[in-house]
Amino acid sequence: MMNRRHFISAAALTGMGAASAMASCATKPSTTTTYHSIPKLKLSLDRIVKETVGLRPFRASGPRIAKEELGSKTIVHNYGHGGSGWSLSWGTGNMARELVLSTGERKIAVIGCGTVGLATARLLQEKGYEVTIYTKDLPPNVTSSVATGTWSPASRVCDPKVAKPEFKQVWEEATRFSFRTFQFLLGINDIAMWVDEYNVFPERQLAPTDLAQGGEAFHLSGLIPERQELSAKQHPFKDKYVSWRSNMMFNIPSYLHHQMSTFVMLGGKIKVHEIKKLEDLDALSEKCIVNCMGLGAKPIFNDEELTPISGQLACLIPQPEINYKLTTKGASIIARKDGIYLGGNGLVGNWDTTPKREYTEKFVDVLQQLMKEMKS
Ligand SMILES: Cc1cc2nc3c(=O)[nH]c(=O)nc-3n(C[C@H](O)[C@H](O)[C@H](O)COP(=O)(O)OP(=O)(O)OC[C@H]3O[C@@H](n4cnc5c(N)ncnc54)[C@H](O)[C@@H]3O)c2cc1C
């Protein structure tokens, strides 16, 4: 058996660095005079069919992508993606795959069946690895299932005051790889789609660097279109500062289903199996283990940096004509195939996953007022 103390002290020497560059919220004037006709949302508390609270796995220095030798095993870490795990899953999965490649092992264990574990497992399969996913829970009982599901690679990905400057480069590389990969998932049963995204505010907005608000540490030009500021003649809202861009979104239930089905179709195995302590990893038959446990990595690897940023969502019955994303002061809407999700909060350090009715009421109030003031 491996020595726990050796395991733990090695685990404390965490990997990667991070950055200080701040996000800019580039918004340019609209290049057209097109009017944006925006259908109204049917908003009432009795249309809310589900409320969830998810815990974003946040690390101030950024996600941990690193290799370490623990006893007879090689552990490749790929966890701690904050509010950007959906977006960065392919990019950091590719970095984890590079680390696996350097071990020479061909039979790989991936711990975790969230979006990060599944993307990493699929990327390993693409190179011919024999992969088994071990997981405590399956979707929909994972954090990835209670996310919003938009392209937001910079959201709560690190605290730029803490992250090392090198992290910016790592983030950029992961962002570009993910973006390219998503372009090949568009059109497959709408698991990934382009949608119109609106920001509607009474005053001019900077990118929200505050972790509670969205914590966008970085901005990368040239992937999705920049925001365009719309004139009052181009939108139906009362507020003065309205911007629009196209953005990608992910239909989470069908996306995760697609990932799991493809993984199994290509010979992958999924085993429900909880890692309760570090030594449990030693009992696995695979020598190389990829840690995609999200927040679950905290107690196993004593990662003091890993902390939750909770986010509550309330789901409305779908309305087929609503197919946009909108953010305003105090609430946001994202229309997915499975429902229209209202949300917008982030509580740093909160472990409580019980939905609070008052947050849902606030989202509904804010958005009802916005819809009431809209020109029809
Ligand atoms: C409200 C909210 C909104 C979000 N919106 C977005 C967004 O719009 N865009 C975006 O890119 N990201 C978003 N995120 C962030 C994103 O959801 C996370 O970064 C991502 O889900 C992390 O994925 P993961 O696979 O690392 O973790 P998880 O989904 O938590 O998966 C971890 C896996 O590890 C398993 N596991 C844990 N512990 C153990 C153990 N001890 N033994 C065995 N298995 C274990 C779990 O069962 C699970 O299968 C949002 C998150 C929240 C909460």
Coordinates of all heavy atoms in Angstrom, one line a residue, residues 52-58 78-89 110-118 133-139 141-156 182 248 250 252 256 271-277 281 291-300 309-313 325 334 343-345, ligand 1:
T52 N -32.5 24.8 -8.1 CA -31.3 24.1 -7.7 C -30.2 25.0 -7.2 O -30.2 26.2 -7.5 CB -30.7 23.4 -9.0 OG1 -30.4 24.4 -10.0 CG2 -31.6 22.3 -9.5
V53 N -29.3 24.5 -6.4 CA -28.1 25.3 -6.0 C -26.9 24.4 -6.4 O -26.8 23.3 -5.9 CB -28.1 25.6 -4.5 CG1 -26.8 26.3 -4.1 CG2 -29.3 26.4 -4.1
G54 N -26.0 25.0 -7.2 CA -24.8 24.2 -7.6 C -23.6 24.9 -6.9 O -23.6 26.2 -6.7
L55 N -22.5 24.2 -6.7 CA -21.3 24.7 -6.0 C -20.2 24.8 -7.1 O -19.7 23.7 -7.4 CB -20.9 23.9 -4.8 CG -22.0 23.7 -3.8 CD1 -21.5 22.8 -2.6 CD2 -22.6 25.0 -3.2
R56 N -19.9 25.9 -7.5 CA -18.7 26.1 -8.5 C -17.4 25.8 -7.7 O -17.2 26.4 -6.7 CB -18.7 27.5 -9.0 CG -20.0 27.9 -9.7 CD -19.9 29.4 -10.0 NE -21.1 30.0 -10.7 CZ -22.1 30.5 -10.1 NH1 -22.1 30.6 -8.7 NH2 -23.1 31.0 -10.7
P57 N -16.6 24.9 -8.3 CA -15.3 24.5 -7.6 C -14.2 25.5 -7.9 O -13.5 25.4 -8.9 CB -15.0 23.2 -8.2 CG -15.7 23.2 -9.6 CD -16.8 24.1 -9.6
F58 N -14.1 26.5 -7.0 CA -13.2 27.7 -7.3 C -11.9 27.5 -6.6 O -11.8 27.2 -5.5 CB -13.9 29.0 -6.8 CG -13.1 30.2 -7.0 CD1 -12.8 30.7 -8.2 CD2 -12.5 30.8 -5.9 CE1 -12.0 31.9 -8.4 CE2 -11.7 31.9 -6.0 CZ -11.5 32.5 -7.3
N78 N -7.1 17.5 -12.8 CA -7.8 18.4 -13.7 C -9.1 18.8 -13.0 O -10.2 18.3 -13.3 CB -8.1 17.6 -15.0 CG -8.8 18.5 -16.0 OD1 -8.9 19.7 -15.9 ND2 -9.3 17.9 -17.1
Y79 N -9.0 19.7 -12.1 CA -10.2 20.1 -11.3 C -10.1 21.6 -10.8 O -9.0 22.2 -10.9 CB -10.4 19.2 -10.1 CG -9.4 19.4 -9.0 CD1 -9.5 20.3 -8.0 CD2 -8.2 18.6 -9.0 CE1 -8.6 20.5 -7.0 CE2 -7.2 18.8 -8.0 CZ -7.4 19.8 -7.0 OH -6.5 19.9 -6.0
G80 N -11.2 22.1 -10.4 CA -11.2 23.5 -9.8 C -11.4 24.6 -10.9 O -10.8 25.6 -10.9
H81 N -12.5 24.3 -11.7 CA -12.7 25.2 -12.8 C -13.7 26.4 -12.5 O -14.0 27.1 -13.4 CB -13.3 24.4 -14.0 CG -12.3 23.4 -14.6 ND1 -11.9 22.3 -13.9 CD2 -11.6 23.4 -15.8 CE1 -11.1 21.6 -14.6 NE2 -10.9 22.3 -15.8
G82 N -14.1 26.5 -11.3 CA -15.0 27.7 -10.9 C -16.2 27.7 -11.8 O -16.9 26.7 -12.0
G83 N -16.5 28.9 -12.3 CA -17.7 29.1 -13.2 C -17.4 28.9 -14.6 O -18.2 29.4 -15.5
S84 N -16.3 28.2 -15.0 CA -16.0 28.1 -16.4 C -15.7 26.6 -16.8 O -15.1 26.4 -17.9 CB -14.8 29.0 -16.7 OG -13.7 28.5 -15.9
G85 N -16.2 25.7 -16.0 CA -15.9 24.3 -16.3 C -16.5 23.7 -17.6 O -15.8 22.9 -18.2
W86 N -17.7 24.2 -17.9 CA -18.3 23.7 -19.1 C -17.4 24.3 -20.3 O -17.1 23.5 -21.2 CB -19.7 24.3 -19.2 CG -20.7 23.3 -18.6 CD1 -21.1 23.3 -17.3 CD2 -21.2 22.2 -19.3 NE1 -22.0 22.2 -17.1 CE2 -22.0 21.5 -18.3 CE3 -21.1 21.6 -20.5 CZ2 -22.8 20.4 -18.6 CZ3 -21.8 20.5 -20.8 CH2 -22.6 19.8 -19.9
S87 N -17.1 25.5 -20.2 CA -16.4 26.2 -21.3 C -15.0 25.6 -21.5 O -14.5 25.4 -22.6 CB -16.3 27.7 -21.1 OG -17.6 28.2 -20.7
L88 N -14.3 25.4 -20.4 CA -12.9 25.0 -20.5 C -12.6 23.5 -20.5 O -11.5 23.0 -20.6 CB -12.1 25.6 -19.3 CG -12.0 27.1 -19.3 CD1 -11.2 27.6 -18.0 CD2 -11.2 27.6 -20.5
S89 N -13.7 22.7 -20.4 CA -13.6 21.3 -20.2 C -12.7 20.6 -21.3 O -11.8 19.8 -20.9 CB -15.0 20.6 -20.3 OG -15.7 20.9 -21.4
V110 N -10.4 7.6 -14.9 CA -10.8 9.0 -14.8 C -11.7 9.0 -13.6 O -12.7 8.3 -13.6 CB -11.4 9.5 -16.0 CG1 -12.1 10.9 -15.8 CG2 -10.4 9.6 -17.2
I111 N -11.5 9.8 -12.6 CA -12.4 9.9 -11.4 C -13.3 11.1 -11.7 O -12.8 12.2 -11.7 CB -11.7 10.1 -10.1 CG1 -10.4 9.1 -10.0 CG2 -12.6 9.8 -8.9 CD1 -10.7 7.7 -9.9
G112 N -14.6 10.9 -11.8 CA -15.5 12.0 -12.0 C -16.2 11.9 -13.4 O -15.6 11.6 -14.4
C113 N -17.5 12.1 -13.3 CA -18.4 12.0 -14.5 C -19.2 13.3 -14.7 O -20.3 13.3 -15.1 CB -19.3 10.8 -14.3 SG -20.1 10.3 -15.9
G114 N -18.5 14.4 -14.4 CA -19.1 15.7 -14.7 C -18.5 16.1 -16.1 O -17.9 15.3 -16.8
T115 N -18.8 17.3 -16.5 CA -18.4 17.7 -17.9 C -16.9 17.6 -18.1 O -16.4 17.3 -19.1 CB -18.9 19.2 -18.2 OG1 -18.7 19.4 -19.6 CG2 -18.3 20.3 -17.4
V116 N -16.1 17.9 -17.0 CA -14.6 17.9 -17.1 C -14.1 16.4 -17.3 O -13.3 16.1 -18.2 CB -13.9 18.6 -15.9 CG1 -12.4 18.4 -15.9 CG2 -14.3 20.0 -15.9
G117 N -14.7 15.5 -16.4 CA -14.3 14.1 -16.5 C -14.6 13.5 -17.9 O -13.9 12.8 -18.5
L118 N -15.9 13.8 -18.3 CA -16.3 13.2 -19.6 C -15.5 13.7 -20.8 O -15.1 12.9 -21.6 CB -17.8 13.5 -19.8 CG -18.8 12.6 -18.9 CD1 -20.2 13.2 -18.9 CD2 -18.8 11.2 -19.5
I133 N -14.3 5.3 -16.2 CA -14.7 6.4 -15.3 C -15.2 5.8 -14.0 O -16.0 4.9 -14.0 CB -15.8 7.3 -16.0 CG1 -15.2 8.0 -17.2 CG2 -16.4 8.3 -15.0 CD1 -16.3 8.9 -18.0
Y134 N -14.6 6.2 -12.9 CA -15.1 5.9 -11.6 C -15.8 7.1 -11.0 O -15.2 8.2 -11.0 CB -14.0 5.5 -10.7 CG -13.2 4.2 -11.1 CD1 -12.2 4.3 -12.0 CD2 -13.6 3.0 -10.7 CE1 -11.5 3.2 -12.4 CE2 -13.0 1.8 -11.1 CZ -11.9 1.9 -12.0 OH -11.2 0.8 -12.4
T135 N -17.0 7.0 -10.5 CA -17.6 8.2 -10.0 C -18.6 7.9 -8.9 O -19.2 6.9 -8.8 CB -18.4 8.9 -11.2 OG1 -19.0 10.1 -10.7 CG2 -19.5 8.0 -11.7
K136 N -18.6 8.9 -7.9 CA -19.5 8.7 -6.8 C -21.0 8.9 -7.3 O -21.9 8.1 -6.9 CB -19.2 9.9 -5.8 CG -20.1 9.9 -4.6 CD -19.4 10.7 -3.5 CE -19.3 12.2 -3.7 NZ -20.6 12.9 -3.5
D137 N -21.2 9.9 -8.2 CA -22.6 10.1 -8.7 C -22.5 10.3 -10.2 O -21.5 10.7 -10.7 CB -23.1 11.4 -8.1 CG -23.4 11.3 -6.6 OD1 -24.1 10.4 -6.2 OD2 -22.8 12.1 -5.8
L138 N -23.7 10.1 -10.8 CA -23.9 10.2 -12.2 C -24.7 11.5 -12.5 O -25.5 11.9 -11.6 CB -24.6 9.0 -12.8 CG -23.8 7.7 -12.8 CD1 -24.7 6.5 -13.0 CD2 -22.7 7.7 -13.8
P139 N -24.6 12.1 -13.7 CA -25.6 13.1 -14.0 C -27.0 12.6 -13.9 O -27.2 11.4 -14.2 CB -25.2 13.4 -15.5 CG -23.8 13.0 -15.6 CD -23.6 11.8 -14.7
N141 N -26.9 14.1 -10.9 CA -26.5 14.4 -9.5 C -25.0 14.9 -9.4 O -24.3 14.5 -8.6 CB -26.7 13.2 -8.7 CG -28.2 12.9 -8.7 OD1 -29.1 13.7 -8.5 ND2 -28.5 11.6 -8.9
V142 N -24.6 15.8 -10.4 CA -23.3 16.3 -10.4 C -23.4 17.8 -10.6 O -24.4 18.3 -11.1 CB -22.4 15.7 -11.5 CG1 -22.2 14.2 -11.3 CG2 -23.0 16.0 -12.9
T143 N -22.4 18.6 -10.2 CA -22.5 20.0 -10.3 C -22.7 20.5 -11.7 O -23.5 21.4 -12.0 CB -21.1 20.7 -9.8 OG1 -21.0 20.3 -8.4 CG2 -21.1 22.2 -10.0
S144 N -22.1 19.7 -12.7 CA -22.2 20.1 -14.1 C -23.7 20.1 -14.5 O -24.0 20.9 -15.5 CB -21.4 19.1 -14.9 OG -20.1 19.1 -14.6
S145 N -24.5 19.3 -13.9 CA -25.9 19.3 -14.3 C -26.7 20.5 -13.8 O -27.9 20.7 -14.2 CB -26.6 18.0 -13.8 OG -26.1 16.9 -14.4
V146 N -26.2 21.2 -12.8 CA -26.9 22.4 -12.3 C -26.2 23.7 -12.6 O -26.3 24.7 -11.9 CB -27.2 22.2 -10.8 CG1 -28.2 21.1 -10.5 CG2 -25.9 21.9 -10.0
A147 N -25.6 23.7 -13.8 CA -24.9 24.9 -14.3 C -25.8 25.6 -15.3 O -26.8 25.0 -15.7 CB -23.6 24.6 -14.9
T148 N -25.5 26.8 -15.6 CA -26.3 27.5 -16.6 C -26.0 27.0 -18.0 O -26.9 26.8 -18.8 CB -25.9 29.0 -16.6 OG1 -25.6 29.4 -15.3 CG2 -26.9 29.9 -17.1
G149 N -24.7 26.8 -18.4 CA -24.4 26.3 -19.7 C -24.2 27.3 -20.8 O -24.7 27.1 -21.9
T150 N -23.4 28.3 -20.5 CA -23.0 29.2 -21.5 C -21.5 29.3 -21.7 O -20.7 28.9 -20.8 CB -23.4 30.7 -21.2 OG1 -23.0 31.0 -19.9 CG2 -24.9 30.9 -21.4
W151 N -21.1 29.7 -22.9 CA -19.7 29.9 -23.1 C -19.2 31.1 -22.3 O -19.5 32.2 -22.5 CB -19.4 30.2 -24.6 CG -18.0 30.6 -25.0 CD1 -17.6 31.8 -25.3 CD2 -16.9 29.8 -25.0 NE1 -16.2 31.8 -25.6 CE2 -15.8 30.6 -25.4 CE3 -16.7 28.4 -24.7 CZ2 -14.5 30.1 -25.5 CZ3 -15.4 27.9 -24.9 CH2 -14.3 28.7 -25.3
S152 N -18.5 30.8 -21.2 CA -18.0 31.8 -20.2 C -16.6 31.3 -19.7 O -16.5 31.1 -18.5 CB -19.0 32.0 -19.1 OG -19.2 30.7 -18.4
P153 N -15.6 31.2 -20.6 CA -14.4 30.6 -20.1 C -13.6 31.4 -19.1 O -12.7 30.9 -18.4 CB -13.5 30.6 -21.4 CG -14.1 31.6 -22.3 CD -15.6 31.7 -22.0
A154 N -14.0 32.7 -18.9 CA -13.3 33.5 -17.9 C -14.0 33.6 -16.6 O -13.5 34.2 -15.6 CB -13.0 34.9 -18.4
S155 N -15.2 33.1 -16.5 CA -16.1 33.3 -15.3 C -15.5 32.6 -14.1 O -15.4 31.4 -14.1 CB -17.5 32.9 -15.6 OG -18.3 33.0 -14.5
R156 N -15.2 33.3 -13.1 CA -14.7 32.8 -11.8 C -13.7 31.7 -12.0 O -13.7 30.7 -11.3 CB -15.9 32.3 -11.0 CG -17.0 33.3 -10.7 CD -18.2 32.8 -10.0 NE -19.1 33.8 -9.6 CZ -20.3 34.0 -10.1 NH1 -20.8 33.3 -11.1 NH2 -21.1 35.0 -9.6
F182 N -15.8 22.9 -29.6 CA -17.3 23.1 -29.6 C -17.8 23.3 -31.0 O -19.0 23.0 -31.3 CB -17.6 24.3 -28.7 CG -17.6 24.0 -27.2 CD1 -16.8 24.7 -26.4 CD2 -18.4 23.0 -26.7 CE1 -16.8 24.4 -25.0 CE2 -18.4 22.7 -25.4 CZ -17.6 23.4 -24.5
M248 N -22.3 31.2 -27.4 CA -22.6 29.7 -27.5 C -23.3 29.3 -26.2 O -23.0 29.9 -25.1 CB -21.4 28.9 -27.6 CG -20.9 28.7 -29.1 SD -19.6 27.5 -29.2 CE -18.3 28.3 -28.2
F250 N -24.9 25.6 -24.0 CA -24.9 24.2 -24.0 C -26.2 23.6 -23.4 O -26.6 24.1 -22.3 CB -23.7 23.6 -23.3 CG -22.4 24.4 -23.6 CD1 -21.8 25.2 -22.6 CD2 -22.0 24.4 -24.9 CE1 -20.6 25.9 -23.0 CE2 -20.8 25.1 -25.2 CZ -20.2 25.9 -24.3
I252 N -27.6 21.3 -21.4 CA -26.8 20.4 -20.5 C -27.3 19.0 -20.5 O -26.5 18.0 -20.6 CB -26.8 21.1 -19.1 CG1 -25.8 22.3 -19.2 CG2 -26.5 20.1 -18.0 CD1 -25.7 23.1 -17.9
L256 N -24.7 16.1 -21.8 CA -24.1 15.1 -20.9 C -24.5 13.6 -21.4 O -23.7 12.7 -21.3 CB -24.5 15.3 -19.5 CG -23.9 16.5 -18.8 CD1 -24.4 16.7 -17.4 CD2 -22.3 16.4 -18.7
K271 N -18.1 3.2 -13.8 CA -18.4 2.4 -12.6 C -18.8 3.4 -11.5 O -18.0 4.4 -11.3 CB -17.2 1.6 -12.2 CG -16.9 0.5 -13.2 CD -15.8 -0.4 -12.7 CE -15.5 -1.5 -13.7 NZ -14.3 -2.2 -13.4
V272 N -19.9 3.2 -10.8 CA -20.2 4.0 -9.7 C -19.4 3.5 -8.5 O -19.5 2.3 -8.1 CB -21.7 3.9 -9.4 CG1 -22.1 4.7 -8.1 CG2 -22.5 4.5 -10.5
H273 N -18.5 4.4 -8.0 CA -17.5 4.0 -7.0 C -17.0 5.2 -6.4 O -16.5 6.1 -7.0 CB -16.3 3.3 -7.8 CG -15.2 2.8 -6.9 ND1 -15.2 1.6 -6.3 CD2 -14.1 3.4 -6.6 CE1 -14.1 1.5 -5.6 NE2 -13.4 2.6 -5.7
E274 N -17.2 5.3 -5.0 CA -16.7 6.5 -4.3 C -15.3 6.3 -3.8 O -14.9 5.3 -3.2 CB -17.7 6.8 -3.2 CG -17.3 8.1 -2.4 CD -18.3 8.4 -1.3 OE1 -19.3 7.8 -1.1 OE2 -18.0 9.5 -0.6
I275 N -14.5 7.4 -4.0 CA -13.2 7.4 -3.4 C -13.4 8.1 -2.0 O -13.7 9.3 -2.0 CB -12.2 8.2 -4.3 CG1 -12.1 7.6 -5.7 CG2 -10.8 8.3 -3.6 CD1 -11.6 6.2 -5.8
K276 N -13.2 7.4 -1.0 CA -13.5 8.0 0.4 C -12.2 8.5 1.0 O -12.2 9.4 1.8 CB -14.1 6.9 1.3 CG -15.5 6.5 0.8 CD -16.2 5.8 2.0 CE -17.7 5.6 1.6 NZ -18.0 4.2 1.5
K277 N -11.1 8.0 0.6 CA -9.8 8.4 1.1 C -8.7 8.2 0.1 O -8.9 7.4 -0.8 CB -9.4 7.8 2.5 CG -9.5 6.3 2.4 CD -9.4 5.7 3.8 CE -9.3 4.1 3.8 NZ -10.3 3.5 2.9
L281 N -7.5 5.1 -3.9 CA -6.9 5.2 -5.3 C -6.0 4.1 -5.6 O -5.8 3.6 -6.7 CB -6.2 6.6 -5.5 CG -7.1 7.8 -5.4 CD1 -6.3 9.1 -5.5 CD2 -8.2 7.8 -6.5
N291 N -7.7 12.9 -12.0 CA -8.6 13.4 -11.0 C -9.5 14.5 -11.5 O -9.0 15.7 -11.7 CB -7.7 13.9 -9.8 CG -8.5 14.8 -8.8 OD1 -9.7 14.8 -8.8 ND2 -7.8 15.5 -8.0
C292 N -10.7 14.2 -11.8 CA -11.7 15.2 -12.3 C -12.9 15.2 -11.3 O -14.0 15.2 -11.7 CB -12.2 14.9 -13.7 SG -10.9 14.7 -14.9
M293 N -12.6 15.4 -10.1 CA -13.6 15.3 -9.0 C -14.2 16.6 -8.6 O -15.0 16.6 -7.7 CB -13.0 14.6 -7.7 CG -12.7 13.2 -7.9 SD -12.3 12.4 -6.3 CE -10.6 12.8 -6.1
G294 N -13.8 17.7 -9.3 CA -14.4 19.0 -9.0 C -14.2 19.2 -7.5 O -13.1 19.0 -6.9
L295 N -15.2 19.7 -6.8 CA -15.1 20.1 -5.4 C -14.8 18.8 -4.6 O -14.3 18.9 -3.5 CB -16.4 20.7 -5.0 CG -16.4 21.8 -3.9 CD1 -15.4 22.9 -4.2 CD2 -17.8 22.4 -3.8
G296 N -15.2 17.6 -5.1 CA -14.9 16.4 -4.4 C -13.4 16.1 -4.1 O -13.0 15.3 -3.3
A297 N -12.5 16.9 -4.8 CA -11.1 16.7 -4.7 C -10.6 17.3 -3.3 O -9.5 17.0 -2.8 CB -10.3 17.3 -5.8
K298 N -11.4 18.2 -2.8 CA -10.9 19.0 -1.6 C -10.6 18.1 -0.4 O -9.4 18.1 0.0 CB -12.0 20.0 -1.2 CG -11.5 20.9 -0.1 CD -12.6 22.0 0.2 CE -12.1 22.8 1.4 NZ -10.9 23.7 1.1
P299 N -11.5 17.2 0.0 CA -11.1 16.4 1.2 C -10.1 15.3 0.9 O -9.3 15.0 1.7 CB -12.4 15.7 1.6 CG -13.3 15.8 0.5 CD -12.9 17.0 -0.3
I300 N -10.1 14.8 -0.3 CA -9.2 13.7 -0.7 C -7.8 14.2 -0.8 O -6.8 13.5 -0.3 CB -9.6 13.0 -2.0 CG1 -11.1 12.6 -2.0 CG2 -8.7 11.8 -2.3 CD1 -11.5 11.6 -0.9
I309 N -18.3 28.3 -4.8 CA -19.1 29.6 -5.0 C -20.5 29.1 -5.5 O -20.6 28.6 -6.6 CB -18.4 30.5 -6.1 CG1 -17.0 30.9 -5.6 CG2 -19.3 31.8 -6.3 CD1 -16.3 31.8 -6.6
S310 N -21.4 29.2 -4.6 CA -22.7 28.6 -4.9 C -23.5 29.5 -5.9 O -23.3 30.7 -5.9 CB -23.6 28.4 -3.6 OG -24.0 29.7 -3.1
G311 N -24.4 28.8 -6.6 CA -25.2 29.6 -7.6 C -26.6 28.9 -7.6 O -26.7 27.7 -7.8
Q312 N -27.6 29.7 -7.4 CA -29.0 29.2 -7.5 C -29.6 29.5 -8.8 O -29.5 30.5 -9.4 CB -29.9 29.9 -6.4 CG -31.3 29.4 -6.4 CD -32.0 29.6 -5.1 OE1 -31.4 29.5 -4.0 NE2 -33.3 29.9 -5.1
L313 N -30.3 28.4 -9.3 CA -31.1 28.6 -10.6 C -32.5 28.2 -10.3 O -32.8 27.3 -9.5 CB -30.5 27.7 -11.7 CG -29.1 27.9 -12.1 CD1 -28.7 26.9 -13.2 CD2 -28.9 29.3 -12.7
K325 N -30.4 34.7 -24.4 CA -29.8 34.9 -23.0 C -29.9 36.4 -22.7 O -29.7 37.2 -23.6 CB -28.4 34.4 -23.1 CG -27.7 34.5 -21.7 CD -26.3 33.9 -21.7 CE -25.7 34.0 -20.3 NZ -24.7 35.0 -20.1
I334 N -31.5 32.3 -19.2 CA -30.9 31.5 -20.3 C -31.9 30.5 -20.8 O -32.4 29.7 -19.9 CB -29.5 30.9 -20.0 CG1 -29.0 30.0 -21.1 CG2 -29.5 30.1 -18.7 CD1 -28.2 30.6 -22.2
G343 N -31.4 33.1 -13.0 CA -30.3 32.9 -11.9 C -29.6 34.2 -11.8 O -30.1 35.3 -12.1
G344 N -28.4 34.1 -11.3 CA -27.5 35.3 -11.2 C -26.8 35.5 -9.9 O -26.2 36.6 -9.8
N345 N -26.8 34.6 -9.0 CA -26.1 34.9 -7.8 C -24.8 34.0 -7.6 O -24.7 33.0 -8.3 CB -27.0 34.8 -6.5 CG -27.4 33.4 -6.2 OD1 -27.2 32.5 -7.0 ND2 -28.0 33.2 -5.1
Ligands
LIG1 C1 -25.0 27.9 -11.0 C2 -23.8 27.5 -11.9 C3 -23.8 28.1 -13.1 C4 -22.7 27.7 -14.0 N1 -22.6 28.2 -15.2 C5 -21.6 27.9 -16.0 C6 -21.6 28.4 -17.4 O1 -22.5 29.0 -17.8 N2 -20.5 28.0 -18.1 C7 -19.5 27.3 -17.7 O2 -18.5 27.1 -18.4 N3 -19.5 26.8 -16.4 C8 -20.5 27.1 -15.6 N4 -20.5 26.6 -14.3 C9 -19.3 26.0 -13.8 C10 -19.4 24.5 -14.1 O3 -20.6 23.9 -13.9 C11 -18.3 23.8 -13.3 O4 -17.0 24.4 -13.4 C12 -18.2 22.3 -13.8 O5 -19.4 21.7 -13.7 C13 -17.2 21.5 -13.0 O6 -17.2 20.3 -13.6 P1 -16.5 19.0 -13.0 O7 -16.7 17.9 -14.0 O8 -15.1 19.4 -12.6 O9 -17.2 18.8 -11.6 P2 -18.6 18.0 -11.3 O10 -19.7 18.3 -12.3 O11 -18.8 18.4 -9.9 O12 -18.2 16.5 -11.4 C14 -17.4 15.9 -10.4 C15 -17.5 14.4 -10.5 O13 -16.6 13.8 -9.6 C16 -17.3 12.9 -8.8 N5 -16.7 12.8 -7.5 C17 -16.6 13.8 -6.6 N6 -16.0 13.3 -5.5 C18 -15.8 12.0 -5.7 C19 -15.3 11.0 -4.9 N7 -14.9 11.2 -3.7 N8 -15.2 9.7 -5.4 C20 -15.7 9.5 -6.7 N9 -16.2 10.4 -7.5 C21 -16.3 11.7 -7.0 C22 -18.8 13.4 -8.8 O14 -19.7 12.4 -8.5 C23 -18.9 13.9 -10.3 O15 -19.2 12.8 -11.1 C24 -21.6 26.9 -13.5 C25 -21.7 26.3 -12.2 C26 -22.8 26.6 -11.4 C27 -22.9 26.0 -10.1

